Amino acid sequence: MWEYDVPEDSVADFERVYGADGAWAKLFSSSEGFEGTELFVSLSRPGHYLTVDRFQDEASWRRFQTDHRDAYLELDAASEGFTVSERELAGPDVG
């Protein structure tokens, strides 16, 4: 789960890339165990978003990170300009 602040002029691009059918979800779906992406927009803070990317289990997530590392880094760099801040709120449940 990630939290983002997005400037008004980047909202459309951000939603296109981070949405349920966006570039991130397409990249994640290339890996076995991916279950979906959800994008939430704040009703009280314009430009504030949360994303939830779900994998079957931690092993699926770790396998994705290993198998698609270069593509992940490339997309991360390409989409970096859409946000003014980002913060990971939660990761895989390892307990």
Side-chain angles (χ1 to χ4, degrees):
M1 178 181 289
W2 285 79
E3 173 183 49
Y4 300 91
D5 286 305
V6 180
E8 185 177 336
D9 62 344
S10 295
V11 164
D13 289 329
F14 178 85
E15 290 179 356
R16 179 179 43 80
V17 172
Y18 286 83
D21 295 321
W24 280 108
K26 288 176 183 169
L27 175 59
F28 293 146
S29 70
S30 65
S31 187
E32 187 177 327
F34 176 66
E35 295 182 337
T37 290
E38 295 176 276
L39 177 63
F40 300 92
V41 60
S42 173
L43 298 176
S44 61
R45 284 179 56 192
H48 190 76
Y49 291 84
L50 295 176
T51 60
V52 177
D53 304 306
R54 290 179 284 102
F55 282 79
Q56 189 173 39
D57 52 28
E58 183 184 2
S60 297
W61 168 240
R62 299 290 178 216
R63 188 170 41 256
F64 164 80
Q65 288 181 310
T66 299
D67 294 347
H68 301 280
R69 182 180 189 281
D70 291 342
Y72 181 98
L73 293 173
E74 184 178 315
L75 183 54
D76 187 50
S79 56
E80 185 175 316
F82 299 149
T83 65
V84 291
S85 69
E86 60 183 59
R87 181 171 63 124
E88 186 175 22
L89 298 176
D93 180 3
V94 295

